[in-house]
Amino acid sequence: DVVYSSIIPVDRETEKVDLTAGEYASFPFGNNHFAHAFCPHRLELCDYISGGTLVKREAYEEVGSHQGENWDLWKRMRDAGKRFKPVPEATLISRNPIRVETKLTPHPEAKACFYYQASMATTYVRCQLPARKLPGLALDYTHVQNVGDDLHPDIKFPEQAPCAIFQFPGDQGRAILMHTMMNEGIRVLIEVDDNYYAKSPLNNPGWVFEMMDKRLAHSLEAHGRMVPWVDGVIVATPHLAKLYSKFNKNVYICPNSVDADDWRALARPPDDGKLRIGWFASASHKDDGRMLTQAMQWACKRDDVEILNMGLDPRWSNCRYKQMPWTNDLSVYRAMMGVLDIGLCPVQPTEWANCRSDLKAIEYAMAGVLPVMSETIPYANWTNGFGCWKCKTPKDWLSAIQYLVTHRDDLQRMRAEAHHYVLEERTIDKTISAWEEAVAG
């Protein structure tokens, strides 16, 4: 209902872009001009919705249009259940000083502040989604404010809820901030959904191994030193919990989940007789696609099968498939996933990959897609033959695809089972109690 852009201020005299122009330095994101993730409770603190917005006429008229400041309009739209979407790629060029009112206290019901630094998808799943239900605040790290002066010596972190949750910190700045918060009586937790004690397939982009390596700000060594002294660690899986419990006695398993409301508008396309097989994967799966080559080479030869791939290009030899571009728009991502019948989840077991979660299978299932997955630790909660199909070898993948393509009644049954399992076990409404326990301590 509301789409908002980033802001680029322009100096009035020079007509040049100036990221410190006017009152921009006091903007509540610090000097970060990007459109930030939407957090409904954050609107109680400040009006962070930029002036560059598109608003549906029906939504605008339904809430009574303008009755004062934009801030009031956004809060009324939020209270009416309207949806907000940031579009960082779009920018508003502004010659006017950016004035943003900010309150000093968080929403009275806020139980935690999530400080994110991940991709939009990970930010949504591990920060925005639990913040939506706790309730809590989802904030960029640069939004942290520490107010304390001669006039107000006792005011510290005025916008901070009782608990602060930092996504996989590994730099000196966050370490100092977390330590200061703990000294002020704030409960501080570290959140991880990957193994940050191990080297990732991407060679840990943005990370180095030792703190003395000055090339980048984050290091695995610094992360490892922080984990023992914080109040606790939130992880996504039991396997990850086993690893981190060696370094901190307070480890909380908060599994990845979905919000059914985000998927209700997803409509399955009409049946045109074609069965669509897809693999939606990031670059961290670069070695996993090889397990699928034989199966995809067989499937692509059938006229009643179409193979779709999104994100990482597996470059399967002698195989015809459609490569789709990656998107950061989660609603587009869900819609593209919703055209599939079979969703592939290959994972080769490694020290790092064993700490993955089953989020991809959950998303496939919510889109009405049958997940076909590797028989590995991340998918231990799934039962082979009920809502999924598990494979160990390339030959297993070939057999699975051959059977499902030619036994579509069984395919439809298992798709329904997968959807039912996620609705019953893996929605945020079912798992929010784990987040509440971690926050309460």
Side-chain angles (χ1 to χ4, degrees):
D1 299 293
V2 179
V3 175
Y4 57 97
S5 69
S6 300
I7 300 176
I8 297 182
V10 175
D11 187 278
R12 289 185 174 183
E13 295 182 2
T14 65
E15 295 294 312
K16 294 181 178 180
V17 171
D18 183 359
L19 295 184
T20 60
E23 299 179 13
Y24 190 65
S26 63
F27 199 51
F29 308 151
N31 288 331
N32 188 345
H33 67 282
F34 291 106
H36 280 221
F38 179 73
C39 175
H41 301 293
R42 188 175 183 180
L43 278 178
E44 296 301 321
L45 292 178
C46 62
D47 176 14
Y48 62 93
I49 308 298
S50 76
T53 58
L54 294 175
V55 183
K56 281 189 176 179
R57 181 186 298 273
E58 296 83 358
Y60 184 78
E61 294 174 345
E62 181 181 332
V63 300
S65 67
H66 266 79
Q67 298 176 1
E69 298 295 325
N70 285 352
W71 193 2
D72 176 69
L73 174 64
W74 307 143
K75 287 192 284 188
R76 284 187 285 115
M77 285 195 163
R78 174 204 62 189
D79 295 340
K82 304 306 177 185
R83 296 283 176 153
F84 291 72
K85 178 188 290 187
V87 184
E89 299 86 354
T91 55
L92 168 68
I93 307 298
S94 174
R95 289 183 174 84
N96 298 315
I98 300 169
R99 303 176 184 274
V100 178
E101 294 185 63
T102 304
K103 296 182 180 179
L104 287 180
T105 56
H107 190 284
E109 297 178 3
K111 298 176 182 177
C113 289
F114 293 79
Y115 295 103
Y116 56 81
Q117 60 168 330
S119 66
M120 294 181 69
T122 304
T123 294
Y124 162 75
V125 174
R126 300 301 292 175
C127 297
Q128 289 178 274
L129 195 51
R132 183 187 295 175
K133 296 292 182 177
L134 273 174
L137 303 172
L139 308 173
D140 181 85
Y141 164 63
T142 60
H143 183 70
V144 179
Q145 293 187 7
N146 180 358
V147 178
D149 54 34
D150 293 338
L151 296 177
H152 307 92
D154 298 326
I155 298 179
K156 297 288 186 181
F157 303 110
E159 299 173 2
Q160 176 59 52
C163 179
I165 302 173
F166 287 81
Q167 274 193 318
F168 42 87
D171 65 296
Q172 187 180 48
R174 286 174 178 80
I176 294 172
L177 178 60
M178 292 190 297
H179 193 273
T180 306
M181 284 184 168
M182 292 176 69
N183 286 340
E184 294 298 324
I186 297 168
R187 180 169 170 79
V188 174
L189 303 175
I190 286 176
E191 186 278 320
V192 292
D193 66 346
D194 281 316
N195 179 5
Y196 285 89
Y197 282 91
K199 182 179 178 181
S200 80
L202 296 177
N203 295 319
N204 299 93
W207 291 70
V208 293
F209 288 100
E210 298 180 0
M211 288 188 288
M212 295 304 293
D213 189 333
K214 299 297 184 181
R215 292 174 300 169
L216 298 167
H218 280 65
S219 74
L220 300 181
E221 180 191 359
H223 177 77
R225 290 195 182 187
M226 294 179 202
V227 168
W229 54 258
V230 295
D231 293 310
V233 180
I234 296 174
V235 299
T237 70
H239 192 77
L240 205 52
K242 185 177 180 181
L243 171 69
Y244 273 84
S245 63
K246 298 176 183 177
F247 309 101
N248 191 304
K249 64 180 181 180
N250 300 318
V251 177
Y252 304 90
I253 302 174
C254 298
N256 281 330
S257 309
V258 292
D259 189 339
D261 289 341
D262 290 330
W263 298 81
R264 295 196 194 284
L266 187 64
R268 295 285 306 175
D271 186 2
D272 61 359
K274 278 201 172 185
L275 187 144
R276 291 175 172 84
I277 304 171
W279 187 33
F280 284 26
S282 66
S284 64
H285 288 273
K286 62 178 182 174
D287 295 325
D288 297 331
R290 282 176 265 179
M291 292 186 283
L292 307 175
T293 303
Q294 288 179 260
M296 297 302 99
Q297 287 174 341
W298 177 86
C300 77
K301 296 175 183 177
R302 295 185 60 101
D303 293 334
D304 59 347
V305 173
E306 182 178 21
I307 301 174
L308 305 174
N309 191 77
M310 180 181 185
L312 173 70
D313 188 344
R315 302 189 183 280
W316 291 310
S317 60
N318 301 317
C319 180
R320 184 184 71 257
Y321 59 93
K322 181 184 295 184
Q323 181 67 27
M324 299 183 290
W326 190 257
T327 177
N328 285 323
D329 189 321
L330 294 181
S331 60
V332 173
Y333 170 79
R334 296 184 190 109
M336 295 171 73
M337 186 174 281
V339 306
L340 303 178
D341 298 286
I342 298 173
L344 307 174
C345 306
V347 174
Q348 294 195 48
T350 65
E351 181 186 13
W352 189 85
N354 285 341
C355 292
R356 289 184 181 275
S357 80
D358 59 349
L359 178 61
K360 190 65 62 183
I362 294 172
E363 292 176 328
Y364 282 142
M366 282 303 296
V369 181
L370 174 67
V372 180
M373 59 190 64
S374 293
E375 191 166 330
T376 52
I377 292 174
Y379 300 111
N381 287 334
W382 293 76
T383 302
N384 188 31
F386 181 84
C388 74
W389 194 303
K390 292 188 174 183
C391 308
K392 285 185 177 180
T393 66
K395 186 176 180 180
D396 291 340
W397 284 95
L398 174 60
S399 298
I401 296 302
Q402 287 176 332
Y403 182 89
L404 293 170
V405 167
T406 56
H407 294 76
R408 301 202 181 185
D409 288 343
D410 283 348
L411 170 62
Q412 301 306 325
R413 170 184 59 81
M414 296 172 71
R415 283 169 53 181
E417 291 169 348
H419 189 72
H420 179 76
Y421 162 68
V422 173
L423 286 178
E424 290 296 311
E425 304 288 341
R426 303 301 298 276
T427 64
I428 189 64
D429 292 327
K430 305 288 186 180
T431 61
I432 193 62
S433 59
W435 291 94
E436 292 171 340
E437 179 184 351
V439 166

